[in-house]
Each structure stands twice: as structure tokens, then as C-alpha cells.
Amino acid sequence: MRGKGLIVTIDGPAGSGKSSVAKRLASEIGFSFLDTGAMYRCVTLACLRKEMDLGQLQQVANIASQVQIEFFADKVVLDGEDVSEAIRTPTVTKSIWAIADNTAVRESMVAAQRRWTAGRDAVTEGRDQGTIAFPDAECKIFLTATPEERARRRVSQLLELGVDISYEEVLEMQNQRDRQDTQRESGGLKPATDSIMVWTDGMTGDEVLQRLVTIVGSKRTPEMNSMTEQPLQHKPHLMPR
Ligand code: C5P
């Protein structure tokens, strides 16, 4: 009964810890995992490398429909190159809003997300997964935490990476991203009306994962009852154009 195209969406703001927990959830329930933020990051990187004017909406949209993005278990490959680290630099993060605001880019990303999940059981993670990309998803989760908690977590992550940055600076950048993400005209960050809101303040990663597993379990449809604990297939998941 696998391969029914069952979808679990996880949306939420930057720093809510959704990427790591969404990936762990997918592995736990034997679903594929789609990091849609990485798709926008790949398009941003491709445009920056071509030194394009990000305000040229049509040219940027053309790039979005031409790039080939592949997802492996632990890396993201853009046109044959491992860009897992390159897409997470501050330069990419600062420019991404221009790409994410581009309606034509969003349309091609959402279409690619739907093609990618077709016939596949998947956990997809982003901002608009429950609202725009998969309004009929079997299970929708909105993962969030207070801005202060998210900024504290980010500061400790950065400290571990040897980056010395103040809490105030991180909070300010995060607030700016929150504004850009929530005010976006199409595909803006907001919980789907039928999503389950999970506040993760004070919870460990393991506790959040457990909560999500419980939620998915409570949403089980007859098809979902056939979910097995098979591990993620570690083959590349090509993003069809
Ligand atoms: O999740 P991540 O922080 O990697 O996403 C990077 C940016 O991509 C977000 O700040 C948002 O602007 C954009 N994004 C989006 N829609 C998605 C996923 C990400 O607009 N589904």
C-alpha cells in the first residue's frame, strides 16, 4: 500500500527547528522528505552565480524552471554539484526573499513539488505546503516557537559552528525574515485552517519528534495504517522539471 502519495506537511517560521525534525519524522515513518526551502535556496544561488538582477522577474523565473535539483539523504545537488553548504550562506539567505516573492518562481516550485511527491509518501517542509502546495494533505502541522526562543536556539547553533554573533543581531534578522515571509502576497507564511499548531518552546528535539509522530498517528487514514517503518531509500530523488 506504499506509494499512495500520502502527504504530511510541516510549515513554520525560520528557526522553529522544523527542518531537522521534519527530516527525522520522515525517516521514522518511512516517508520521503522534501525540503522546499532548499529549492528556493538553489534558485537563489543559481541566479547569484549568474550575477543576475533578481528584479528581472521573467529571467529569474526561467532559471527556476531550468535548474535541476536533486535530493540525496544528506545532500542537495544543483545541476550536478553538491551545494548543501553553498545554499546556506548568509549571502543566499539575504537575497532569497527576492526569489521567494517572485510569483512565477513560486508557481514553478509548487508544480515541481507536486510532481516530486506524485505516487510517493512524503513529508514536505516549508512555508506554504499546507496552504498552497498540498491543500488536501492527509496531515498538516504548523511548527512554531516564540521569536525569543527561536533566536536563542539559533545563537547556540551558530556558537557551535564558531560564529560569534549577538542574540540581538540574530533576533533582528529573524524578525525581518518573519516579516518578509508573512507579508508575501502569494505563498506567505500562515497556518492552514486545518493544520495542527505545535509550539515547541522548552521542548527538546526528541520531544518535538515524539509529538509529531503522535499527531501523524492520530491522523491515520486506512491507507496510512499501512505505513511501515522501512528506512528512507538513499537514492537520489530527482526533482522533475
Ligand atoms: O526553510 P528555509 O529557511 O531554508 O527557507 C528559506 C527561505 O525560502 C524562507 O525564508 C522563505 O522566504 C522561502 N521559502 C518559501 N516557501 C517555502 C520554503 C521556503 O518562500 N515553501
Side-chain angles (χ1 to χ4, degrees), residues 22 24 47 60 72 77 93 109 147 164 172 184 207 209 222 240:
R24 289 177 67 193
C47 293
V60 169
F72 291 79
V77 173
T93 305
M109 294 291 104
D164 188 16
E172 173 48 35
R184 181 163 297 129
E207 286 166 345
L209 174 65

mmCIF file of all heavy atoms in Angstrom, residues 22 24 47 60 72 77 93 109 147 164 172 184 207 209 222 240:
data_model
loop_
_atom_site.group_PDB
_atom_site.id
_atom_site.type_symbol
_atom_site.label_atom_id
_atom_site.label_comp_id
_atom_site.label_asym_id
_atom_site.label_seq_id
_atom_site.Cartn_x
_atom_site.Cartn_y
_atom_site.Cartn_z
ATOM 1 N N ALA A 22 11.480 17.580 10.762
ATOM 2 C CA ALA A 22 10.707 17.054 9.629
ATOM 3 C C ALA A 22 11.460 15.906 8.975
ATOM 4 O O ALA A 22 10.867 14.890 8.603
ATOM 5 C CB ALA A 22 10.445 18.174 8.616
ATOM 6 N N ARG A 24 13.656 13.964 10.446
ATOM 7 C CA ARG A 24 13.628 12.804 11.357
ATOM 8 C C ARG A 24 12.268 12.122 11.331
ATOM 9 O O ARG A 24 12.163 10.904 11.375
ATOM 10 C CB ARG A 24 13.970 13.251 12.784
ATOM 11 C CG ARG A 24 15.425 13.630 12.966
ATOM 12 C CD ARG A 24 15.699 14.125 14.360
ATOM 13 N NE ARG A 24 15.550 13.079 15.373
ATOM 14 C CZ ARG A 24 15.486 13.310 16.673
ATOM 15 N NH1 ARG A 24 15.558 14.543 17.138
ATOM 16 N NH2 ARG A 24 15.357 12.321 17.528
ATOM 17 N N CYS A 47 20.969 32.044 -9.510
ATOM 18 C CA CYS A 47 20.850 33.412 -10.031
ATOM 19 C C CYS A 47 22.035 34.278 -9.587
ATOM 20 O O CYS A 47 22.571 35.065 -10.375
ATOM 21 C CB CYS A 47 19.546 34.062 -9.560
ATOM 22 S SG CYS A 47 18.091 33.287 -10.269
ATOM 23 N N VAL A 60 14.526 35.446 -13.979
ATOM 24 C CA VAL A 60 14.705 34.635 -12.773
ATOM 25 C C VAL A 60 13.786 33.409 -12.842
ATOM 26 O O VAL A 60 14.185 32.282 -12.528
ATOM 27 C CB VAL A 60 14.417 35.479 -11.500
ATOM 28 C CG1 VAL A 60 14.324 34.611 -10.267
ATOM 29 C CG2 VAL A 60 15.496 36.537 -11.304
ATOM 30 N N PHE A 72 19.542 14.008 -2.087
ATOM 31 C CA PHE A 72 20.052 12.743 -1.584
ATOM 32 C C PHE A 72 19.759 12.747 -0.088
ATOM 33 O O PHE A 72 19.289 13.743 0.464
ATOM 34 C CB PHE A 72 21.553 12.623 -1.839
ATOM 35 C CG PHE A 72 21.900 12.476 -3.298
ATOM 36 C CD1 PHE A 72 21.911 13.576 -4.143
ATOM 37 C CD2 PHE A 72 22.201 11.235 -3.839
ATOM 38 C CE1 PHE A 72 22.214 13.451 -5.489
ATOM 39 C CE2 PHE A 72 22.507 11.092 -5.187
ATOM 40 C CZ PHE A 72 22.516 12.206 -6.006
ATOM 41 N N VAL A 77 21.876 18.620 -4.471
ATOM 42 C CA VAL A 77 22.724 18.747 -5.651
ATOM 43 C C VAL A 77 22.018 19.645 -6.679
ATOM 44 O O VAL A 77 20.866 19.405 -7.041
ATOM 45 C CB VAL A 77 23.019 17.341 -6.237
ATOM 46 C CG1 VAL A 77 23.753 17.452 -7.571
ATOM 47 C CG2 VAL A 77 23.854 16.519 -5.242
ATOM 48 N N THR A 93 20.905 33.575 1.995
ATOM 49 C CA THR A 93 19.758 33.815 2.889
ATOM 50 C C THR A 93 19.251 35.260 2.760
ATOM 51 O O THR A 93 18.052 35.504 2.769
ATOM 52 C CB THR A 93 20.153 33.502 4.353
ATOM 53 O OG1 THR A 93 20.642 32.169 4.395
ATOM 54 C CG2 THR A 93 18.970 33.641 5.295
ATOM 55 N N MET A 109 7.929 26.266 -8.576
ATOM 56 C CA MET A 109 8.375 25.454 -7.428
ATOM 57 C C MET A 109 7.244 24.540 -6.940
ATOM 58 O O MET A 109 7.441 23.362 -6.672
ATOM 59 C CB MET A 109 8.827 26.352 -6.261
ATOM 60 C CG MET A 109 10.068 27.169 -6.525
ATOM 61 S SD MET A 109 11.584 26.203 -6.656
ATOM 62 C CE MET A 109 11.855 26.211 -8.403
ATOM 63 N N PRO A 147 9.544 34.135 19.060
ATOM 64 C CA PRO A 147 10.747 34.671 18.406
ATOM 65 C C PRO A 147 11.974 34.581 19.312
ATOM 66 O O PRO A 147 13.073 34.277 18.853
ATOM 67 C CB PRO A 147 10.380 36.141 18.134
ATOM 68 C CG PRO A 147 8.885 36.157 18.096
ATOM 69 C CD PRO A 147 8.418 35.085 19.030
ATOM 70 N N ASP A 164 30.468 33.997 16.074
ATOM 71 C CA ASP A 164 30.201 34.833 17.232
ATOM 72 C C ASP A 164 29.245 35.953 16.812
ATOM 73 O O ASP A 164 29.628 36.877 16.112
ATOM 74 C CB ASP A 164 31.534 35.412 17.737
ATOM 75 C CG ASP A 164 31.344 36.124 19.053
ATOM 76 O OD1 ASP A 164 30.299 35.907 19.703
ATOM 77 O OD2 ASP A 164 32.225 36.924 19.423
ATOM 78 N N GLU A 172 16.968 40.404 15.398
ATOM 79 C CA GLU A 172 16.596 41.429 14.430
ATOM 80 C C GLU A 172 16.501 40.834 13.013
ATOM 81 O O GLU A 172 15.528 41.069 12.297
ATOM 82 C CB GLU A 172 17.626 42.576 14.494
ATOM 83 C CG GLU A 172 17.475 43.655 13.434
ATOM 84 C CD GLU A 172 16.042 44.187 13.277
ATOM 85 O OE1 GLU A 172 15.315 44.276 14.288
ATOM 86 O OE2 GLU A 172 15.645 44.480 12.119
ATOM 87 N N ARG A 184 4.351 38.121 2.371
ATOM 88 C CA ARG A 184 4.401 37.736 0.953
ATOM 89 C C ARG A 184 2.985 37.560 0.414
ATOM 90 O O ARG A 184 2.166 36.887 1.039
ATOM 91 C CB ARG A 184 5.175 36.418 0.851
ATOM 92 C CG ARG A 184 5.342 35.909 -0.530
ATOM 93 C CD ARG A 184 6.452 34.875 -0.554
ATOM 94 N NE ARG A 184 7.724 35.470 -0.179
ATOM 95 C CZ ARG A 184 8.549 34.988 0.767
ATOM 96 N NH1 ARG A 184 8.238 33.918 1.438
ATOM 97 N NH2 ARG A 184 9.665 35.609 1.042
ATOM 98 N N GLU A 207 11.521 15.428 21.958
ATOM 99 C CA GLU A 207 10.124 15.618 22.403
ATOM 100 C C GLU A 207 9.234 16.101 21.255
ATOM 101 O O GLU A 207 8.097 15.669 21.104
ATOM 102 C CB GLU A 207 10.071 16.614 23.574
ATOM 103 C CG GLU A 207 10.578 16.017 24.875
ATOM 104 C CD GLU A 207 10.841 17.068 25.955
ATOM 105 O OE1 GLU A 207 10.902 18.284 25.651
ATOM 106 O OE2 GLU A 207 11.015 16.658 27.116
ATOM 107 N N LEU A 209 9.784 15.559 18.069
ATOM 108 C CA LEU A 209 9.608 14.428 17.153
ATOM 109 C C LEU A 209 8.501 13.503 17.662
ATOM 110 O O LEU A 209 7.615 13.087 16.913
ATOM 111 C CB LEU A 209 10.931 13.649 17.021
ATOM 112 C CG LEU A 209 10.832 12.365 16.193
ATOM 113 C CD1 LEU A 209 10.494 12.675 14.734
ATOM 114 C CD2 LEU A 209 12.138 11.569 16.266
ATOM 115 N N PRO A 222 -7.179 4.802 6.669
ATOM 116 C CA PRO A 222 -6.933 3.392 6.393
ATOM 117 C C PRO A 222 -5.652 3.193 5.592
ATOM 118 O O PRO A 222 -4.887 2.287 5.842
ATOM 119 C CB PRO A 222 -8.167 2.970 5.598
ATOM 120 C CG PRO A 222 -9.233 3.899 6.053
ATOM 121 C CD PRO A 222 -8.549 5.199 6.353
ATOM 122 N N PRO A 240 11.701 16.535 -10.812
ATOM 123 C CA PRO A 240 11.356 16.596 -12.227
ATOM 124 C C PRO A 240 11.046 18.015 -12.664
ATOM 125 O O PRO A 240 10.526 18.792 -11.893
ATOM 126 C CB PRO A 240 10.106 15.719 -12.334
ATOM 127 C CG PRO A 240 9.600 15.541 -10.961
ATOM 128 C CD PRO A 240 10.680 15.917 -9.993
#
